[in-house]
Amino acid sequence: MIKKLFKYTKGYRKEAIFASIITISDAVIEVILPFYIAAIIDYGIAKHDINSTIHYGIILLILATITLLFGIFWSIYTSLYSAGFAKNIRQAVFDKIQTFSFKNIDKFSTASLITRLTTDITNVQNTCQTLIRLLKAPFMIIFALIMASRINTNLSTMFFILIPVLAIGLIFVLIKAHPYFKKGFAKYDEMNNVIQENVSAIRVVKSYNRQDFENSKLNKVAFFVFNLFRKADKIVAYQGPFIDLVVFSFITILAFISTKLIVSGDMTTGNLASLIIYSMQILNSMLMISFSLVIILIGQASTKRIVEVLSEESDITNPTNPIYEVKDGSITFENVYFSYDKTDETSEDKNYKLKNISIDIKSGETIGIIGDTGSSKTSFVQLIPRLYDVKKGQVKVGGVNVKDYDLKVLRDNVAFVLQKNTLFSGTIKENLKWGNKKATDKELINACKLSQADEFVKKLTNKYNTVLEQGGTNLSGGQRQRLCIARALLKKPKILILDDSTSAVDTKTDAKIRKAFKEKIPNITKIIIAQRIDSIKDADKIIVLSNGKISGFANHKTLLKTNKIYKEVYDLQIKEKNKK
Amino acid sequence: MNKQAKQNNKKENYGAIALRLFKYVASNHKLQFFIILITSLINALGNMISAVFLMYLVDKVITPMIGVSNPDYSQLTEKLIYLGIFYIICIISLLILNLNVVKIAQNTLRSIREKMFSHMQTLPVKYFDQRTNGEVMSLYTNDTDALMNLVGWCIPQIFSSLLSMIIFIIVMIITDIPLTLFTLFVGFIMLVISKYIGKKSANAFINQQNYIGKINGYIEEMINGQKVIKVFSYEENVKKGFNKLNNELYKSNITANKYANIIIPIIFNIGNLHYVITAIIGGLLIINDIGSLTLGKIILFLQLARGFNLQFLNISQQSGFIGMALAGASRIFKLMDEDKENDKGHITLSNIIIDKKGNIKETKKNTGLYAWKEKNQDGTITYTQLKGNILFDKITFGYNQAKPVLYNITIHAKPKQKIAFVGATGAGKTTITNLLNRFYDIQKGVIKYDGVDIKQIKKYDLRKSMGIVLQDTQMFTGTIYDNIKYGNLDATPEQIYAAAKLANADKFIKKLPNGYDTIISGINNELSQGQRQLLSIARAALSNPSVLILDEATSSIDTRTESIVQSGIDKLMKGRTVFVIAHRLSTVRNADLIIVLDKGKIIEQGNHKELIKKKGKYYELYTGNLELE
C-alpha cells in the first residue's frame, strides 16, 4: 500500500531525505548532550574546576544551539515534503477519477469520492509527517544504548530488560485495544449515517411523528459507539500506569546499584545523571513509537481508501490503434446484451438489462424511444457513446465497432444530453463552451436558437454573460434543459442523443425544438427518449422497449396497429388530450 | 450568512463557553471530579519525587560515603522501601485518574450526542432550511470529535501538567532561588514565543481553510457533474482547473504546517538550552561557593528543569486544540439552545365509536374513526369528529416576516375533496401544504381543521391525522419492509404487503433478489427515483391518514407506470381529503377544486371544466402555451 503511494513523493524526495537526515542527526546530538552533562558534573562541578566547567559548558551550549537550528530546519523541510506529497496525491486521485468510466463512477458514490479527496488525504499527510518523526525513535534508542554501554557495560545490560518489557506492554495494549477501536469506528460511521438520514429526512420524520423512534434508533447505535470506545479507552488507560511501574522500578534499581558503584569508585555521579537521562530518552522514544503506530493505524484506513481509487482501472480505455474518424451517424446494434453487474457469457437472460438487441439506424434518421420506468431506455443509449461496454454482441457507429474508436473522437461525434444534467458555476457562455472551446459568439447563439434557449437568454440582464450558480439553480428546469441541449449541439456531432431532455420544457417549445432539428440539422442522427408520445410521434422510427427487449421498432402509424404497449401509452395520453 | 456566523463565533466569549462546558461535565460527575483532583495531585508529586530522591542519594548517601571503607546502606534500604510504597500509590492513583477521565469523557460524549440529537428532533423545519445538511452533520462529527479530544485528553493533560509545573516551581524555590528565577525567565520566553507562533499559526490555518473551502467546492461540483464531464470529454480542462486550486492549497498548506511543526522543536530545544545553562550557572555557583548549592541539588534542579520544559511543551501542544474545540462546543451549545418548535396545542386525537344516537364515545380500540378531544375549563370534554374539513381563512405567510410569499389565501376543502395546486416554481404551492401540518406558522389568518384552529391542536396529533408524500423521496437504511413500516410502526405484515400492493410497489419489490428484505440505503442508487416514489406512497398508505398531501408524488414516474400507480393513488385518496401538487396537469384534472397560484396569490380557482371555459392562465398552461416549472 505504502509502495503504491511512494511514487507520489516525486519532486519532494530531496526535502524528505533532508528532513530524515536532520532527524537522525538530531537524535545523535540529543544523545551526546547527557554525555557532556556527565562531564560537566564530574570534571567541572564535583572537582570545582572552573575551566572545565566553562569548557564543557560551551560545548553544551553549541550542541543545544545546533539542535535548535535542526529543529527549525526539520519543520521547514517536513512541511515542504508533506505538503508536496499531499498535493501530488490529491492531483493523482482527481486525475484518476477523470479517467473513470460511468461504471467506475457508479461503483464509488459521489460522497465517498469527495471524502477521499479531502479528509482522507489530510489523514495520509499527517501519517506521512508522523513517519518521518518516527524515524528518530529507533535511532534514539540505539544511540542511547551505545552511550549507556560506554558508561558502564554491566549496568547497560539492564536496558536490555527495560526495552523488551516496555515493548511488550505497549504492544499488548495496542493489540488489545485495536479491535475495539476498529469496531468502534465502524459503529461510528453507522451512527453518522443515522444522523445524516435523519437530517435530510427531517420532514418525513416530523410528518410521521417518528421523533421518538429516531431517538431510540440513535441511542441504540450511540450506545454501541460509547461502549466500544469506552472499552478501548479503558485498556489504553492502563498504559500510563504500566509505564510508570516499569520506569519507577527501573530507576530505583539503577540508582541503588549505581550508588554502590559510585561509592566503591567504579562510577561517577555524573554517570548516574546521564544514565537516568538515557533511560528517559529510551522511554520517550518508545512512547513515540506507540503513539505513532496509532496515528498510522488511523491513517491506514484512509490510505486504503485512496489506494482503492488509485488502483481502480477504468474498464473503458482507448484501443491501441484507435480510429479517429467517424464516417457517418449510422448506428447498428448486433445481438447486444448488457448489464451493470458482473455477468458472464453463461448468465441467464434475466440477469441482463438489455437482451439480444439488434437494430439498424440509418444516418440522419430521427429515432424515438419509449418504454416503462426501468425498461432500460437509458442503458440502451448509453452504449452508443461507449459510456458503458456491452457484455455480448457489438455496437457500431458509422459501421465501426465503438470499441475501435478513439474515445474522445467517438464522444465528440455522439453528443449525449443526460437525463440528470448539470450546469457548472460560471457564465452561460462558459457553460456552452464545454461543447466547443473555440465556438464563436455566432455559433453559440445559433445553437441556442436551435434549442430555443436564445429567446430567454436574451431577456436576462447580462445575456450570455449571466453567471450561473452551481447546478444552474438560478434558472428554471426547462431553461436549464434547453441550455444543455445547446451545449451538446455545439459539438457539431453526427449523432445527438436526448435522454428525456425536454421533460420540463413546455409542449409548444418542445415542438419548436423538434421542428428546428428537422429543418436546420437534418443530417444529424437524433435519438430521443421521451415520455410524451407527442415528442416522438413524428420520428422516422420509434423503438418501444419493454423489460430490456425491443417490443417494437417502426413508425408511429405502424406501431399503433401492431404494438400493444405503444397503443396503451398512446391511448392514455390521447385520452387526456381529448378531455381538454 | 455564513460569514456573519463566523464573525459571531469569533466574538464568542470562550471563557463563558468553557465554564458552561465545565458545569455540564461537572454536574453529573462531582465525585469523579474530586477523585481526579486528588489523583492528579498525587501523580504530580510522583513526577517530582524521583528527582528529590536523586538529590538525597547524591548529597546524603554518595558524597559522605565516598572513600568510606565499610559503607552502611541500611538507611538507604529503608528509604527505598518508603519510596517503593509511594511509587505504588502513585501508579494506582494514575490508573484511577485515567479510568475516571475515560468515564467522564465517554459519558459526556454520549450524553451530548444524545441530547443534541433528541433536541434536534424538536427543532422547527426552519432550522434545517437555514443550514445545509453538511453544516448540521459537522456538529456531530468534527465538533463532537473536537470536544471529545478536549474533555478526554487536552484538559486532563493540561491540568496535570499545570499541577506538575506548580509543584516543580515550589520545589525549585525551596532548593535554590536564583536558579528558580532563571527557570521562570526561560518559561516566560517560551510563553512569549509560543504565543507569537500560535498566533501566526492560527492565521495561517484560517488562510489554509479558505483554500480548502475553495478546492472542496470545486471537487464537489466536478464529482457531481462527473458524467457530464465524460460526455463532453472535458477531463483535461477540469484537471487543469483542479491543478490551479491544488497549487494554491499547497502553498498555504506549507505555511500552515511550518508554523504548526516549528513550535515543538523550538520549545523543546529552548528547553535543552535552559537545561544546559542551568548546569553551567549551577556549576559556577558551587565552584565559587555562592549560595547553598550542592551537587545533589544541581542534579535535582536539572531534573526539575527538564520536567518543567516537558510539561510546558505538553501544554503548548494541547492549547492549539482548545480554541478549535471551544469553537465546536459553542456551536453544539448553540444547537441545544435553539428554541423548540412551539406547540401550545392542547387538543388531541382519539379513537371513537359512535352509537346509534350519534353520541361520540372514546375507545382505546382502533376503530378507524377519530375525534378531536378538547378538555374544557370546567372539566368536561368535547369531542369533534375528525372529518377532514379544512379551511384556510385569509392567511398570509412569509418565511421571512417582512417578505410574505402567500397573500390572503382562502381555500375551503370539504371532507373527502381533492384539491389541486397549480403554478410555477416559487408560486407557493408547497408552502401552503407546509402550513397545514404546521412546519411553519402563519402570520395572519387562521387554518381550521373540522372547525378547530390548528394552533389549538397538539402537533403530534395534527400530524398523525395527515399523510404526506414528498417529491424528494427519503428512505432510511434498512429493508424495504422497514421503510414501508415507517408509516405505521404497529402495522402487521399483511397490512404492509397490502399497502405495497395498493401503491403498485409490490410488483417491483418481488422482482428484487431479496424481495421485501432487500436492504436499501438512505442515499441509495439501488432503486430508481420512480421506485422510491412508489415506496413512499406505500408508506403513506400504511399510515392511513384522514388528510393526504401529495407533493409532486408522481413526478418521476413515466406515463404508463403512473397510470398503474394512479389506480393505487386513487384508492389511497378515496375517503380522504387530499391536497395535490402536481407538475403534470393530467394528475390535476379530476380534482374537485383547482387552485392556480402565481407569486403567492390565488389567481384562479374552480374545477377543470370551469377553468378551461374561463380561458385564463390555467387554460394557457393546459394547452401548453406556458412553461410550467
Side-chain angles (χ1 to χ4, degrees):
Chain A
M1 220 158 52
I2 289 167
K3 231 187 226 168
K4 192 113 204 177
L5 291 186
F6 180 73
K7 65 174 172 193
Y8 301 107
T9 55
K10 216 180 151 192
Y12 303 95
R13 282 183 199 150
K14 240 191 281 162
E15 285 83 354
I17 292 169
F18 210 75
S20 311
I21 292 174
I22 292 175
T23 306
I24 296 168
S25 320
D26 197 34
V28 174
I29 297 179
E30 268 184 52
V31 173
I32 294 176
L33 270 175
F35 180 77
Y36 283 103
I37 295 275
I40 205 173
I41 290 174
D42 291 338
Y43 304 121
I45 304 169
K47 292 199 172 131
H48 287 255
D49 181 342
I50 288 197
N51 287 336
S52 296
T53 307
I54 290 172
H55 171 71
Y56 289 118
I58 288 172
I59 292 178
L60 278 170
L61 272 180
I62 291 170
L63 288 176
T65 314
I66 291 175
T67 58
L68 177 63
L69 290 176
F70 274 2
I72 292 168
F73 281 122
W74 171 82
S75 37
I76 291 170
Y77 282 100
T78 308
S79 307
L80 284 173
Y81 160 67
S82 70
F85 179 60
K87 182 187 87 169
N88 281 349
I89 294 190
R90 207 178 289 121
Q91 191 75 41
V93 172
F94 189 82
D95 289 359
K96 187 77 195 188
I97 294 171
Q98 297 311 313
T99 71
F100 277 7
S101 71
F102 272 34
K103 199 174 162 187
N104 299 127
I105 300 168
D106 296 339
K107 186 179 155 190
F108 300 97
S109 72
T110 314
S112 103
L113 283 177
I114 293 172
T115 319
R116 284 166 217 244
L117 269 167
T118 51
T119 325
D120 283 342
I121 286 179
T122 312
N123 283 344
V124 168
Q125 187 182 358
N126 285 338
T127 311
C128 125
Q129 283 199 26
T130 311
L131 276 175
I132 286 204
R133 208 177 301 165
L134 184 60
L135 207 58
K136 188 174 175 180
F139 283 99
M140 281 287 282
I141 294 173
I142 294 168
F143 295 152
L145 274 177
I146 294 174
M147 296 304 283
S149 61
R150 278 192 57 185
I151 291 172
N152 190 310
T153 323
N154 289 334
L155 268 182
S156 70
T157 52
M158 277 180 70
F159 285 97
F160 289 98
I161 302 169
L162 174 74
I163 294 171
V165 169
L166 276 175
I168 289 169
L170 293 175
I171 290 169
F172 184 75
V173 166
L174 219 59
I175 289 175
K176 271 279 185 188
H178 184 239
Y180 288 115
F181 276 122
K182 210 173 151 191
K183 273 188 229 158
F185 279 116
K187 278 282 166 200
Y188 184 73
D189 286 345
E190 205 179 296
M191 180 180 73
N192 283 340
N193 187 40
V194 169
I195 300 170
Q196 175 116 46
E197 284 180 14
N198 178 277
V199 173
S200 51
I202 194 73
R203 282 162 197 264
V204 177
V205 173
K206 283 184 176 290
S207 302
Y208 286 105
N209 287 320
R210 290 288 172 266
Q211 288 90 336
D212 290 341
F213 179 74
E214 291 288 315
N215 277 336
S216 64
K217 198 154 90 182
L218 177 94
N219 291 355
K220 211 166 120 194
V221 63
F223 176 74
F224 276 119
V225 173
F226 160 75
N227 212 16
L228 288 165
F229 279 113
R230 194 188 50 175
K231 277 184 184 151
D233 281 355
K234 264 189 173 173
I235 295 168
V236 176
Y238 281 87
Q239 185 170 296
F242 167 77
I243 290 168
D244 278 4
L245 177 70
V246 175
V247 171
F248 284 157
S249 329
F250 179 81
I251 289 181
T252 314
I253 297 169
L254 181 73
F256 185 69
I257 298 175
S258 304
T259 308
K260 288 188 168 176
L261 287 174
I262 295 169
V263 171
S264 64
D266 294 326
M267 215 175 113
T268 64
T269 314
N271 289 156
L272 172 61
S274 53
L275 275 182
I276 288 175
I277 297 173
Y278 287 135
S279 54
M280 290 323 252
Q281 282 178 342
I282 288 174
L283 169 70
N284 284 333
S285 302
M286 297 197 64
L287 277 178
M288 200 159 90
I289 292 175
S290 97
F291 182 63
S292 307
L293 283 180
V294 173
I295 293 187
I296 290 168
L297 275 178
I298 293 173
Q300 202 185 23
S302 293
T303 315
K304 214 169 119 192
R305 279 198 290 266
I306 289 173
V307 170
E308 223 171 68
V309 175
L310 287 173
S311 45
E312 174 85 9
E313 282 310 320
S314 173
D315 64 328
I316 294 184
T317 47
N318 245 354
T320 32
N321 288 309
I323 295 170
Y324 287 101
E325 207 197 320
V326 178
K327 211 176 69 206
D328 59 38
S330 66
I331 303 163
T332 312
F333 277 63
E334 282 172 12
N335 307 99
V336 168
Y337 284 81
F338 172 73
S339 81
Y340 292 100
D341 316 314
K342 270 190 189 155
T343 36
D344 52 38
E345 298 275 325
T346 57
S347 282
E348 287 173 52
D349 260 18
K350 72 165 194 179
N351 293 331
Y352 288 104
K353 278 280 208 179
L354 289 170
K355 296 154 208 164
N356 202 12
I357 303 267
S358 292
I359 217 161
D360 248 311
I361 296 167
K362 290 189 196 80
S363 188
E365 274 187 325
T366 300
I367 304 292
I369 301 180
I370 204 155
D372 296 347
T373 310
S375 63
S376 308
K377 297 173 296 231
T378 302
S379 312
F380 176 79
V381 289
Q382 281 177 339
L383 299 177
I384 302 168
R386 221 188 145 201
L387 297 171
Y388 292 91
D389 270 340
V390 296
K391 292 284 169 179
K392 277 195 269 181
Q394 56 177 333
V395 177
K396 288 180 177 172
V397 166
V400 175
N401 190 331
V402 289
K403 289 184 180 176
D404 296 332
Y405 282 113
D406 175 73
L407 268 177
K408 190 170 180 326
V409 169
L410 175 69
R411 288 180 186 160
D412 280 347
N413 280 285
V414 183
F416 195 133
V417 184
L418 294 166
Q419 192 177 11
K420 268 193 190 166
N421 227 314
T422 321
L423 292 169
F424 296 85
S425 42
T427 63
I428 289 182
K429 201 184 254 177
E430 281 164 8
N431 267 287
L432 289 171
K433 283 199 170 173
W434 276 56
N436 177 9
K437 233 192 283 179
K438 290 170 199 141
T440 61
D441 283 2
K442 211 177 145 196
E443 282 173 314
L444 292 180
I445 293 168
N446 260 338
C448 283
K449 275 187 178 154
L450 272 175
S451 72
Q452 312 299 318
D454 184 56
E455 208 178 316
F456 82 81
V457 176
K458 270 195 305 199
K459 282 186 197 153
L460 300 170
T461 1
N462 292 319
K463 304 205 167 61
Y464 282 87
N465 291 319
T466 305
V467 176
L468 298 183
E469 281 159 26
Q470 189 176 337
T473 42
N474 45 347
L475 295 178
S476 81
Q479 292 172 333
R480 284 201 295 269
Q481 286 186 334
R482 283 183 269 168
L483 281 181
C484 287
I485 295 173
R487 184 171 64 178
L489 282 172
L490 277 164
K491 282 167 97 172
K492 295 192 186 134
K494 293 213 163 64
I495 298 170
L496 175 68
I497 301 170
L498 304 179
D499 185 357
D500 206 3
S501 314
T502 56
S503 59
V505 177
D506 64 280
T507 43
K508 261 201 173 165
T509 313
D510 192 20
K512 273 191 202 159
I513 296 174
R514 269 178 286 131
K515 191 167 167 246
F517 277 8
K518 203 168 191 176
E519 287 167 1
K520 302 276 166 58
I521 47 167
N523 296 326
I524 297 180
T525 311
K526 289 159 288 263
I527 300 185
I528 301 165
I529 296 181
Q531 300 198 1
R532 283 193 290 234
I533 290 243
D534 268 347
S535 312
I536 53 165
K537 201 175 70 198
D538 301 324
D540 295 315
K541 276 177 174 177
I542 297 157
I543 300 172
V544 183
L545 274 176
S546 169
N547 235 333
K549 282 184 186 150
I550 292 183
S551 130
F553 181 45
N555 64 21
H556 175 67
K557 266 189 186 160
T558 324
L559 282 175
L560 270 186
K561 279 180 217 150
T562 56
N563 193 288
K564 217 182 103 204
I565 298 176
Y566 190 78
K567 176 99 177 22
E568 207 180 308
V569 177
Y570 178 78
D571 286 346
L572 278 168
Q573 295 191 1
I574 270 329
K575 240 192 271 163
E576 314 246 319
K577 251 195 160 176
N578 291 345
K579 277 183 186 164
K580 273 181 201 173
Chain B
M1 198 185 76
N2 221 335
K3 230 181 195 172
Q4 206 183 350
K6 261 180 206 158
Q7 275 169 355
N8 282 344
N9 259 343
K10 257 194 175 171
K11 278 182 207 156
E12 206 82 53
N13 186 355
Y14 281 161
I17 296 161
L19 190 69
R20 182 166 172 192
L21 184 66
F22 176 76
K23 277 185 186 155
Y24 185 90
V25 178
S27 63
N28 298 315
H29 298 99
K30 285 195 184 97
L31 179 67
Q32 278 82 6
F33 257 86
F34 185 69
I35 294 173
I36 286 179
L37 198 75
I38 302 288
T39 48
S40 296
L41 199 67
I42 296 175
N43 206 42
L45 285 171
N47 278 340
M48 171 271 300
I49 210 77
S50 44
V52 175
F53 174 68
L54 211 57
M55 172 188 76
Y56 162 81
L57 211 59
V58 173
D59 284 351
K60 298 276 148 64
V61 182
I62 297 175
T63 313
M65 279 201 253
I66 285 183
V68 176
S69 55
N70 226 344
D72 171 24
Y73 293 113
S74 61
Q75 220 193 348
L76 175 63
T77 320
E78 193 193 313
K79 286 267 160 45
L80 273 178
I81 290 170
Y82 290 143
L83 186 71
I85 293 171
F86 184 71
Y87 277 160
I88 288 170
I89 294 172
C90 284
I91 287 162
I92 293 172
S93 81
L94 180 61
L95 183 62
I96 295 173
L97 169 68
N98 284 355
L99 290 176
N100 276 292
V101 168
V102 169
K103 194 171 180 180
I104 289 186
Q106 290 295 345
N107 280 346
T108 305
L109 197 63
R110 182 182 169 198
S111 117
I112 281 194
R113 216 176 249 151
E114 294 185 359
K115 271 203 184 130
M116 197 157 68
F117 188 80
S118 73
H119 185 72
M120 187 177 80
Q121 304 305 311
T122 68
L123 298 182
V125 170
K126 203 172 173 183
Y127 177 85
F128 299 92
D129 289 346
Q130 289 164 345
R131 289 160 184 83
T132 65
N133 290 352
E135 273 169 42
V136 179
M137 269 318 285
S138 104
L139 288 172
Y140 290 93
T141 52
N142 302 338
D143 293 341
T144 316
D145 283 352
L147 199 68
M148 164 71 187
N149 246 327
L150 186 73
V151 178
W153 181 252
C154 288
I155 293 181
Q157 286 285 314
I158 290 176
F159 181 66
S160 79
S161 289
L162 274 177
L163 263 184
S164 297
M165 280 173 86
I166 291 168
I167 290 176
F168 286 164
I169 290 171
I170 294 171
V171 178
M172 281 180 187
I173 291 171
I174 296 169
T175 315
D176 189 68
I177 289 175
L179 280 181
T180 310
L181 288 176
F182 177 62
T183 301
L184 290 177
F185 171 69
V186 173
F188 175 73
I189 289 176
M190 291 200 284
L191 194 68
V192 170
I193 290 177
S194 48
K195 255 202 151 164
Y196 174 76
I197 297 177
K199 213 175 184 180
K200 284 260 180 197
S201 167
N203 287 337
F205 268 98
I206 289 169
N207 187 33
Q208 181 186 236
Q209 210 53 43
N210 182 21
Y211 287 107
I212 289 179
K214 266 193 199 162
I215 206 166
N216 284 0
Y218 190 81
I219 288 171
E220 203 185 313
E221 184 166 14
M222 292 309 153
I223 301 283
N224 276 322
Q226 195 62 46
K227 290 197 171 181
V228 177
I229 294 171
K230 288 266 101 169
V231 166
F232 282 92
S233 309
Y234 221 62
E235 296 91 341
E236 289 309 315
N237 299 53
V238 172
K239 277 189 205 171
K240 262 184 228 151
F242 185 78
N243 188 270
K244 210 180 121 205
L245 292 171
N246 196 14
N247 274 327
E248 284 171 355
L249 173 61
Y250 163 68
K251 278 176 204 147
S252 69
N253 186 225
I254 292 176
T255 324
N257 269 339
K258 240 186 240 168
Y259 283 119
N261 282 333
I262 217 161
I263 192 151
I264 297 171
I266 285 192
I267 298 294
F268 183 79
N269 289 306
I270 288 178
N272 263 344
L273 273 173
H274 171 212
Y275 185 82
V276 167
I277 295 171
T278 304
I280 298 169
I281 296 176
L284 293 176
L285 286 177
I286 285 195
I287 293 166
N288 296 321
D289 253 342
I290 305 167
S292 62
L293 268 179
T294 61
L295 187 56
K297 278 185 180 171
I298 287 187
I299 292 178
L300 166 66
F301 222 97
L302 285 176
Q303 297 267 351
L304 292 177
R306 183 166 281 264
F308 181 85
N309 297 333
L310 283 178
Q311 303 301 351
F312 190 94
L313 190 65
N314 197 10
I315 293 177
S316 68
Q317 255 174 300
Q318 303 303 336
S319 58
F321 294 117
I322 292 183
M324 225 167 72
L326 284 180
S330 105
R331 282 189 290 267
I332 287 174
F333 283 135
K334 223 176 250 163
L335 170 88
M336 297 216 229
D337 291 343
E338 283 288 335
D339 286 334
K340 289 184 185 178
E341 206 176 341
N342 74 29
D343 186 6
K344 289 182 186 133
H346 61 279
I347 298 175
T348 55
L349 200 63
S350 300
N351 264 304
I352 50 157
I353 34 175
I354 304 177
D355 62 19
K356 282 170 196 161
K357 288 177 200 158
N359 291 324
I360 293 175
K361 253 185 148 175
E362 191 175 343
T363 171
K364 288 211 167 122
K365 268 187 262 166
N366 190 356
T367 53
L369 286 177
Y370 298 93
W372 299 113
K373 174 184 179 184
E374 182 172 15
K375 280 188 188 146
N376 300 318
Q377 279 176 338
D378 56 7
T380 57
I381 292 175
T382 315
Y383 290 100
T384 316
Q385 197 188 342
L386 171 67
K387 288 185 173 151
N389 190 335
I390 301 222
L391 174 71
F392 289 85
D393 196 359
K394 291 182 196 148
I395 57 157
T396 295
F397 169 77
Y399 292 98
N400 174 344
Q401 293 247 358
K403 267 195 231 156
V405 291
L406 291 173
Y407 304 87
N408 206 21
I409 301 279
T410 300
I411 300 166
H412 189 188
K414 298 191 186 98
K416 297 173 191 175
Q417 268 194 337
K418 183 178 169 188
I419 315 294
F421 294 103
V422 172
T425 306
K429 297 169 296 186
T430 302
T431 310
I432 293 186
T433 59
N434 279 341
L435 298 177
L436 189 55
N437 56 14
R438 288 193 68 200
F439 277 169
Y440 303 95
D441 276 333
I442 47 178
Q443 276 117 29
K444 255 194 252 168
V446 62
I447 301 174
K448 284 193 171 162
Y449 195 153
D450 295 324
V452 181
D453 182 351
I454 58 167
K455 282 189 182 165
Q456 306 291 321
I457 302 173
K458 264 201 167 155
K459 277 189 176 168
Y460 178 90
D461 297 88
L462 177 70
R463 288 176 188 162
K464 200 175 148 192
S465 73
M466 291 181 194
I468 187 162
V469 183
L470 296 166
Q471 186 174 13
D472 294 323
T473 48
Q474 293 292 347
M475 294 292 141
F476 300 88
T477 303
T479 61
I480 287 189
Y481 182 90
D482 285 340
N483 267 291
I484 299 176
K485 200 180 172 185
Y486 206 85
N488 177 5
L489 298 177
D490 301 323
T492 61
E494 289 71 35
Q495 287 173 313
I496 289 169
Y497 301 136
K501 273 189 194 127
L502 184 97
N504 276 317
D506 187 62
K507 222 167 111 194
F508 91 79
I509 298 172
K510 279 192 175 151
K511 269 193 202 161
L512 298 170
N514 292 318
Y516 281 87
D517 294 328
T518 307
I519 296 207
I520 55 173
S521 59
I523 31 154
N524 64 50
N525 300 312
E526 299 96 332
L527 300 179
S528 75
Q529 183 69 13
Q531 289 169 332
R532 288 156 58 113
Q533 273 181 330
L534 295 184
L535 284 186
S536 66
I537 291 169
R539 189 162 62 187
L542 192 67
S543 75
N544 191 25
S546 302
V547 172
L548 184 67
I549 297 166
L550 301 171
D551 188 351
E552 297 275 16
T554 57
S555 64
S556 303
I557 304 177
D558 62 89
T559 321
R560 219 167 75 100
T561 316
E562 193 193 354
S563 77
I564 301 169
V565 181
Q566 199 60 51
S567 70
I569 289 189
D570 285 343
K571 274 185 254 168
L572 176 63
M573 291 194 295
K574 215 170 189 181
R576 308 178 210 277
T577 310
V578 186
F579 293 89
V580 187
I581 298 167
H583 176 74
R584 245 180 250 151
L585 291 169
S586 57
T587 330
V588 165
R589 210 191 42 234
N590 53 18
D592 298 300
L593 180 63
I594 298 168
I595 312 274
V596 185
L597 284 168
D598 188 31
K599 290 174 191 140
K601 287 180 184 136
I602 298 180
I603 51 169
E604 283 171 29
Q605 58 177 314
N607 65 26
H608 180 71
K609 261 190 198 158
E610 290 163 7
L611 290 178
I612 289 292
K613 226 185 258 168
K614 202 174 175 187
K615 299 223 158 150
K617 204 99 174 186
Y618 182 77
Y619 177 81
E620 271 185 65
L621 280 169
Y622 200 74
T623 48
N625 279 331
L626 268 179
E627 200 167 282
L628 229 192
E629 240 322 286

